[in-house]
Protein backbone atom coordinates (compact mmCIF):
# COMPACT_ATOMS: atom_id res chain seq x y z
CA UNK A 1 0.00 0.00 0.00
CA UNK A 2 1.57 3.31 -1.11
CA UNK A 3 1.60 6.74 0.45
CA UNK A 4 -1.64 8.67 0.40
CA UNK A 5 -1.71 12.07 -1.37
CA UNK A 6 -1.46 15.36 0.54
CA UNK A 7 -5.21 15.99 0.36
CA UNK A 8 -5.67 13.22 2.98
CA UNK A 9 -3.58 14.97 5.64
CA UNK A 10 -3.13 18.64 4.75
CA UNK A 11 -5.68 20.04 7.24
CA UNK A 12 -5.16 20.30 11.00
CA UNK A 13 -8.19 18.47 12.34
CA UNK A 14 -7.39 17.08 15.77
CA UNK A 15 -4.97 17.65 18.62
CA UNK A 16 -1.24 17.12 18.05
CA UNK A 17 -0.47 13.40 18.19
CA UNK A 18 3.22 12.88 18.94
CA UNK A 19 5.56 9.95 19.40
CA UNK A 20 5.46 8.81 23.03
CA UNK A 21 5.44 5.70 25.21
CA UNK A 22 1.75 5.31 24.28
CA UNK A 23 2.35 5.79 20.54
CA UNK A 24 5.18 3.44 19.60
CA UNK A 25 6.45 2.03 16.32
CA UNK A 26 6.48 5.40 14.57
CA UNK A 27 8.64 5.45 11.39
CA UNK A 28 11.50 7.94 11.30
CA UNK A 29 10.84 11.31 9.62
CA UNK A 30 12.20 11.57 6.08
CA UNK A 31 13.86 14.93 6.67
CA UNK A 32 16.99 14.60 8.83
CA UNK A 33 18.98 17.66 7.70
CA UNK A 34 17.49 21.03 8.62
CA UNK A 35 20.48 23.28 7.77
CA UNK A 36 22.44 22.98 4.53
CA UNK A 37 24.98 25.00 2.61
CA UNK A 38 27.52 27.14 4.47
CA UNK A 39 25.73 26.79 7.81
CA UNK A 40 28.79 27.87 9.81
CA UNK A 41 29.43 30.99 7.70
CA UNK A 42 30.02 34.15 9.72
CA UNK A 43 27.00 36.38 10.29
CA UNK A 44 28.68 39.28 8.41
CA UNK A 45 29.09 37.23 5.20
CA UNK A 46 25.41 36.76 4.28
CA UNK A 47 23.31 39.91 4.81
CA UNK A 48 20.48 39.07 2.35
CA UNK A 49 17.65 36.90 3.70
CA UNK A 50 14.42 35.65 2.14
CA UNK A 51 11.65 33.52 3.71
CA UNK A 52 9.03 31.08 2.44
CA UNK A 53 5.94 31.95 4.51
CA UNK A 54 2.78 29.86 4.81
CA UNK A 55 -0.52 31.55 3.97
CA UNK A 56 -2.66 28.74 5.41
CA UNK A 57 -3.13 26.70 8.56
CA UNK A 58 -2.07 23.27 7.36
CA UNK A 59 0.08 20.18 7.85
CA UNK A 60 3.23 19.52 5.79
CA UNK A 61 4.55 15.96 5.70
CA UNK A 62 8.21 15.16 6.32
CA UNK A 63 8.43 13.88 2.72
CA UNK A 64 7.26 17.26 1.37
CA UNK A 65 9.74 19.15 3.58
CA UNK A 66 12.59 16.91 2.41
CA UNK A 67 11.59 17.27 -1.26
CA UNK A 68 11.47 21.08 -0.91
CA UNK A 69 14.86 21.14 0.85
CA UNK A 70 16.46 19.04 -1.91
CA UNK A 71 14.97 21.21 -4.69
CA UNK A 72 16.04 24.42 -2.93
CA UNK A 73 19.55 23.14 -2.19
CA UNK A 74 20.07 21.86 -5.74
CA UNK A 75 19.13 25.17 -7.36
CA UNK A 76 21.29 27.24 -4.99
CA UNK A 77 24.29 24.95 -5.53
CA UNK A 78 23.86 25.16 -9.30
CA UNK A 79 23.50 28.94 -9.35
CA UNK A 80 26.27 29.98 -6.96
CA UNK A 81 28.12 27.04 -5.42
CA UNK A 82 27.59 25.30 -2.10
CA UNK A 83 29.54 27.88 -0.05
CA UNK A 84 27.47 30.91 -1.06
CA UNK A 85 24.27 30.35 0.96
CA UNK A 86 22.72 28.90 4.12
CA UNK A 87 19.29 27.24 3.95
CA UNK A 88 17.34 26.58 7.16
CA UNK A 89 14.17 24.50 7.44
CA UNK A 90 12.21 26.03 10.34
CA UNK A 91 9.39 23.54 11.19
CA UNK A 92 10.14 20.06 12.56
CA UNK A 93 7.74 17.16 11.89
CA UNK A 94 6.53 15.89 15.27
CA UNK A 95 2.88 15.10 14.46
CA UNK A 96 2.17 11.42 13.72
CA UNK A 97 -0.14 10.60 10.81
CA UNK A 98 -2.18 7.38 11.08
CA UNK A 99 -3.77 5.27 8.36
CA UNK A 100 -6.54 2.70 8.69
CA UNK A 101 -5.37 0.16 6.12
CA UNK A 102 -8.17 -1.12 3.91
CA UNK A 103 -8.01 -4.20 1.72
CA UNK A 104 -8.73 -3.59 -1.97
CA UNK A 105 -8.44 -7.12 -3.36
CA UNK A 106 -11.28 -9.36 -4.55
CA UNK A 107 -13.48 -10.47 -1.68
CA UNK A 108 -12.13 -7.73 0.59
CA UNK A 109 -15.57 -7.20 2.11
CA UNK A 110 -15.41 -10.73 3.59
CA UNK A 111 -11.91 -10.26 5.05
CA UNK A 112 -11.85 -6.65 6.25
CA UNK A 113 -13.78 -5.31 9.22
CA UNK A 114 -14.66 -1.98 7.57
CA UNK A 115 -14.88 0.88 10.05
CA UNK A 116 -14.90 -1.44 13.07
CA UNK A 117 -11.75 -0.75 15.11
CA UNK A 118 -10.68 1.90 12.63
CA UNK A 119 -7.97 3.55 14.78
CA UNK A 120 -5.07 3.57 12.28
CA UNK A 121 -1.41 2.59 12.47
CA UNK A 122 1.35 5.28 12.48
CA UNK A 123 2.53 5.81 8.90
CA UNK A 124 4.55 9.04 8.68
CA UNK A 125 5.34 12.34 10.37
CA UNK A 126 4.14 15.85 9.59
CA UNK A 127 4.71 19.42 10.79
CA UNK A 128 1.78 21.60 11.86
CA UNK A 129 2.05 25.04 10.23
CA UNK A 130 0.22 28.24 11.14
CA UNK A 131 -0.71 31.26 9.04
CA UNK A 132 2.31 33.55 8.64
CA UNK A 133 4.75 30.90 9.88
CA UNK A 134 8.15 30.70 8.16
CA UNK A 135 8.82 27.32 6.51
CA UNK A 136 12.23 27.89 4.84
CA UNK A 137 14.78 30.69 5.11
CA UNK A 138 17.84 31.39 2.96
CA UNK A 139 20.62 33.81 3.85
CA UNK A 140 23.15 34.69 1.15
CA UNK A 141 25.03 37.60 -0.42
CA UNK A 142 23.14 40.43 -2.07
CA UNK A 143 24.45 39.33 -5.47
CA UNK A 144 22.70 35.94 -5.08
CA UNK A 145 19.36 37.39 -3.94
CA UNK A 146 17.46 36.58 -7.13
CA UNK A 147 18.69 32.98 -7.07
CA UNK A 148 17.47 32.57 -3.48
CA UNK A 149 14.02 33.90 -4.42
CA UNK A 150 13.85 31.50 -7.38
CA UNK A 151 14.97 28.56 -5.20
CA UNK A 152 12.12 29.18 -2.74
CA UNK A 153 9.66 29.60 -5.63
CA UNK A 154 10.64 26.11 -6.80
CA UNK A 155 10.33 24.73 -3.27
CA UNK A 156 6.71 25.99 -3.15
CA UNK A 157 5.69 23.37 -5.74
CA UNK A 158 6.41 20.58 -3.24
CA UNK A 159 3.76 21.80 -0.78
CA UNK A 160 -0.03 21.82 -0.78
CA UNK A 161 -1.81 25.08 0.00
CA UNK A 162 -0.56 28.60 -0.60
CA UNK A 163 2.82 30.07 0.32
CA UNK A 164 4.51 33.40 -0.27
CA UNK A 165 8.17 34.24 -0.85
CA UNK A 166 8.97 37.29 1.29
CA UNK A 167 12.19 39.25 1.43
CA UNK A 168 13.22 40.45 4.89
CA UNK A 169 14.90 43.73 5.84
CA UNK A 170 16.83 42.00 8.62
CA UNK A 171 20.53 41.20 8.46
CA UNK A 172 20.79 37.44 7.88
CA UNK A 173 19.08 35.34 10.56
CA UNK A 174 19.44 38.09 13.19
CA UNK A 175 16.43 39.97 14.63
CA UNK A 176 18.01 43.35 13.71
CA UNK A 177 17.34 45.26 10.48
CA UNK A 178 20.29 46.29 8.34
CA UNK A 179 20.67 49.87 9.59
CA UNK A 180 20.36 48.85 13.25
CA UNK A 181 22.79 45.94 12.78
CA UNK A 182 25.43 48.13 11.11
CA UNK A 183 25.07 50.76 13.85
CA UNK A 184 25.21 48.16 16.65
CA UNK A 185 28.30 46.46 15.22
CA UNK A 186 30.02 49.83 14.87
CA UNK A 187 29.15 50.96 18.40
CA UNK A 188 29.74 47.51 19.91
CA UNK A 189 26.37 46.70 21.50
CA UNK A 190 25.74 43.97 18.90
CA UNK A 191 28.38 41.25 18.68
CA UNK A 192 28.79 38.42 16.18
CA UNK A 193 28.10 35.00 17.69
CA UNK A 194 28.79 32.43 14.96
CA UNK A 195 26.05 32.61 12.31
CA UNK A 196 23.84 34.89 14.49
CA UNK A 197 24.40 38.04 16.58
CA UNK A 198 23.90 38.74 20.27
CA UNK A 199 23.03 41.91 22.15
CA UNK A 200 25.54 43.12 24.74
CA UNK A 201 23.64 44.75 27.58
CA UNK A 202 24.93 47.90 29.27
CA UNK A 203 23.50 46.69 32.60
CA UNK A 204 25.22 44.51 35.16
CA UNK A 205 28.80 44.52 36.51
CA UNK A 206 31.39 46.30 34.38
CA UNK A 207 33.78 44.13 32.39
CA UNK A 208 35.88 44.29 29.25
CA UNK A 209 33.04 42.82 27.19
CA UNK A 210 30.30 45.33 28.05
CA UNK A 211 32.40 48.49 28.36
CA UNK A 212 32.02 49.71 24.78
Amino acid sequence: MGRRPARCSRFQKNKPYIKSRFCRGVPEAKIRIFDCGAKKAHVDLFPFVVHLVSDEKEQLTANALEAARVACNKYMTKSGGKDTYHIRCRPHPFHVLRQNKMLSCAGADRLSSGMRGSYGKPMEMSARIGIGQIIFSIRTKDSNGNAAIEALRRAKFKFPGRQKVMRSNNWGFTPYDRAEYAKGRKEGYIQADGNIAKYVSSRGPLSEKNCV
Side-chain angles (χ1 to χ4, degrees):
M1 182 178 170
R3 283 186 67 251
R4 290 185 180 174
R7 65 173 175 268
C8 298
S9 59
R10 61 178 282 195
F11 297 116
Q12 294 184 26
K13 287 184 179 177
N14 305 317
K15 295 177 184 177
Y17 183 64
I18 60 168
K19 184 179 177 180
S20 66
R21 61 192 172 133
F22 311 109
C23 173
R24 299 177 300 278
V26 179
E28 205 65 43
K30 284 286 184 183
I31 183 167
R32 301 300 300 273
I33 300 167
F34 291 88
D35 285 83
C36 45
K39 56 190 176 187
K40 292 187 178 178
H42 197 269
V43 63
D44 291 338
L45 281 178
F46 298 148
F48 183 91
V49 65
V50 63
H51 303 295
L52 183 64
V53 180
S54 175
D55 217 17
E56 290 184 14
K57 185 180 178 183
E58 59 183 349
Q59 290 181 164
L60 301 179
T61 62
N63 292 60
L65 290 170
E66 174 66 8
R69 184 193 68 82
V70 168
C72 206
N73 192 38
K74 190 173 283 186
Y75 185 81
M76 288 301 293
T77 305
K78 187 178 77 171
S79 59
K82 66 177 186 291
D83 296 325
T84 60
Y85 64 91
H86 175 195
I87 299 172
R88 177 169 287 168
C89 177
R90 299 300 184 98
H92 286 235
F94 290 125
H95 181 72
V96 179
L97 297 178
R98 301 187 307 266
Q99 280 186 27
N100 177 31
K101 286 190 174 180
M102 307 287 278
L103 294 172
S104 58
C105 56
D109 53 331
R110 296 172 179 273
L111 301 171
S112 66
S113 55
M115 291 300 289
R116 179 181 294 172
S118 59
Y119 195 82
K121 296 278 197 302
M123 281 295 156
E124 57 181 325
M125 306 291 283
S126 71
R128 290 162 74 91
I129 309 291
I131 297 172
Q133 185 176 337
I134 297 172
I135 304 170
F136 277 92
S137 301
I138 303 178
R139 67 183 180 111
T140 183
K141 296 176 181 175
D142 286 321
S143 56
N144 293 335
N146 289 334
I149 292 169
E150 172 62 17
L152 288 185
R153 190 191 71 83
R154 293 183 176 210
K156 280 202 303 184
F157 296 121
K158 309 297 180 185
F159 297 133
R162 190 172 54 224
Q163 294 83 28
K164 289 179 179 175
V165 178
M166 303 183 81
R167 179 180 171 178
S168 174
N169 291 326
N170 288 0
W171 185 289
F173 291 162
T174 68
Y176 311 107
D177 64 40
R178 289 190 173 214
E180 188 182 358
Y181 181 82
K183 183 186 174 190
R185 291 285 280 148
K186 188 176 180 181
E187 296 181 7
Y189 62 83
I190 294 175
Q191 286 184 359
D193 187 20
N195 59 14
I196 55 171
K198 61 182 179 182
Y199 177 74
V200 180
S201 177
S202 58
R203 295 169 179 267
L206 296 176
S207 65
E208 290 183 9
K209 289 186 177 179
N210 61 13
C211 288
V212 293

